[in-house]
Amino acid sequence: MTISRERVLEELARIAVPGGGNLVSADLVRALSVESGVVRFVIEAADAAAARSLGPVEAEAQRALSALPGVEKVQIVTTAPTVPRGAPPKVTARSGGEGAPPSLKIGRHPTPQAGPAPVSGVARILAIGSGKGGVGKSTLTSNLAVALARKGRRVGLLDADIYGPSQPRMLGLTGQRPTSDGQMIEPLHAHGVTVMSLGLMMKEGEAVVWRGPMLMGALQQMLNQVKWGELDVLLVDLPPGTGDVQLSLCQKAQVSGAIIVSTPQDVALIDARRAIDMFDKLKTPVLGLVENMSTYICPNCGHEAHLFGHGGVAAEAAALGLPFLGEIPLNLDLRLSGDAGTPIAVGDGPVAQSFARLAERLIDGGMA
């Protein structure tokens, strides 16, 4: 018999913790994995004293899970941060002017909340995801944001790829800094899009070395402590894969739906299916699929080539009963424009028109 993650969480929700609630409702479970009968997770307490008080809770979790059919081994670690919650490793939003930096810090443990909550002023949140890296998801997100803005939509872009934030470079914001009053962050604006990224608060090339809870806290702050204003749609550029950021976004915010980006070849589609399955499990509707790097047109002779195949994403969408939202070509100017900080969707050429068609599809479908 195979044990599921949902069954493990159900059992953990039966285990009471000091102060009320249970392991799940008190948001103490981190890095849960269930694979080949082995259950692993971390119980993360607020401080060392709380961790000591959770000794009996860890023992009860070990006993209860070991008794479940399909569980062969249980590995639990109880830990606590070396600094109090609310005082994490510091990445500071610095103002663009002189004087002391604002006191708001990005990167802390998430604050508890009852469930997914709306973001003030934001009508819709669209998650842009992919099962793997290298499929052009961030490039697509920045250009789609610009294309939507050119259609008259009020658009925001949240760069949630915290380990590899690339939107500041793609939108021409490298070196600029948001300002803060110590409570809320004033985002930046580029090409008609309101933008927030952790990359705006760091030196270019500086690494973020955080565990999962810090990522979750940072995402929560960038959702709720940014002055987004009144937006028709907020696009969230997710990191590759199916990890903590995706889970946190769907648990903390009222996500209207997800768009999956993939290249046409089988190896990319395998991971795209995993992303779709993840959003299904998180009860976030998948609004459709986009095929990126779909067709290459030689600029010299006009020959059309399909370097990664063609039509694989459309076929996958049909097989899954999901909308196919469109194709974006493989194009050198698309890459060059992103590196230069001026998305190609700002212009009116054939590639820009492909993003305009995608934006129209989303608007006509009531998705943006």
Side-chain angles (χ1 to χ4, degrees), residues 8-365:
V8 170
L9 287 171
E10 181 182 326
E11 196 66 26
L12 293 177
R14 301 175 189 275
I15 300 174
V17 298
N22 58 66
L23 278 170
V24 176
S25 66
D27 195 28
L28 298 177
V29 178
R30 301 283 184 266
L32 173 63
S33 71
V34 181
E35 186 174 356
S36 301
V38 180
V39 178
R40 300 183 181 90
F41 65 93
V42 174
I43 299 175
E44 185 169 75
D47 51 43
R52 287 191 292 271
S53 73
L54 289 170
V57 173
E58 178 183 331
E60 173 61 16
Q62 182 83 34
R63 182 202 63 76
L65 294 177
S66 297
L68 292 177
V71 174
E72 298 178 9
K73 187 177 182 180
V74 179
Q75 296 178 337
I76 307 173
V77 175
T78 298
T79 186
T82 56
V83 294
R85 291 189 178 182
K90 296 177 178 58
V91 176
T92 308
R94 298 184 180 275
S95 97
E98 298 297 325
S103 61
L104 182 67
K105 306 295 189 297
I106 290 289
R108 67 185 188 196
H109 285 262
T111 55
Q113 64 183 57
V119 175
S120 179
V122 177
R124 301 173 190 83
I125 299 175
L126 298 186
I128 314 296
S130 65
K132 63 179 296 173
V135 299
K137 171 183 49 57
S138 294
T139 300
L140 182 137
T141 304
S142 59
N143 280 279
L144 176 58
V146 170
L148 286 167
R150 294 189 71 192
K151 297 290 182 183
R153 311 307 283 171
R154 297 169 298 177
V155 185
L157 196 165
L158 170 56
D159 186 356
D161 193 350
I162 292 172
Y163 285 139
S166 55
Q167 294 299 346
R169 167 62 67 89
M170 292 183 173
L171 291 166
L173 296 172
T174 301
Q176 300 186 43
R177 295 289 183 266
T179 57
S180 167
D181 59 7
Q183 297 296 322
M184 298 290 289
I185 299 171
E186 189 71 45
L188 298 183
H189 302 270
H191 310 294
V193 179
T194 302
V195 184
M196 182 60 203
S197 169
L198 193 65
L200 297 170
M201 298 177 142
M202 304 164 59
K203 297 176 182 177
E204 191 171 24
E206 182 180 358
V208 174
V209 187
W210 287 344
R211 293 176 297 131
M214 310 298 285
L215 298 178
M216 293 186 280
L219 177 64
Q220 191 176 29
Q221 285 178 274
M222 288 194 293
L223 282 168
N224 298 315
Q225 288 184 255
V226 169
K227 295 179 181 178
W228 289 111
E230 297 296 321
L231 297 180
D232 296 309
V233 61
L234 174 64
L235 302 184
V236 182
D237 180 15
L238 291 171
T242 56
D244 287 329
V245 172
Q246 289 86 341
L247 178 64
S248 297
L249 176 67
C250 295
Q251 288 182 334
K252 300 294 185 182
Q254 290 181 357
V255 180
S256 306
I259 295 171
I260 304 298
V261 182
S262 179
T263 48
Q265 75 270 37
D266 289 345
V267 70
L269 287 168
I270 290 170
D271 291 317
R273 294 183 197 114
R274 294 191 177 102
I276 293 168
D277 183 60
M278 173 197 69
F279 285 117
D280 285 343
K281 289 176 178 175
L282 294 173
K283 296 181 172 55
T284 299
V286 175
L287 303 178
L289 283 68
V290 177
E291 182 168 288
N292 200 22
M293 307 184 199
S294 180
T295 302
Y296 175 73
I297 305 293
C298 176
N300 296 318
C301 67
H303 173 69
E304 179 176 321
H306 302 133
L307 303 184
F308 298 103
H310 181 259
V313 178
E316 186 69 20
L320 296 173
L322 294 171
F324 178 62
L325 299 176
E327 301 176 355
I328 305 297
L330 179 64
N331 181 273
L332 177 60
D333 290 337
L334 178 57
R335 193 273 294 175
L336 292 173
S337 64
D339 287 348
T342 304
I344 201 167
V346 170
D348 294 308
V351 181
Q353 290 169 12
S354 69
F355 286 107
R357 287 192 296 271
L358 177 56
E360 288 172 359
R361 178 76 187 273
L362 295 177
I363 293 170
D364 291 344

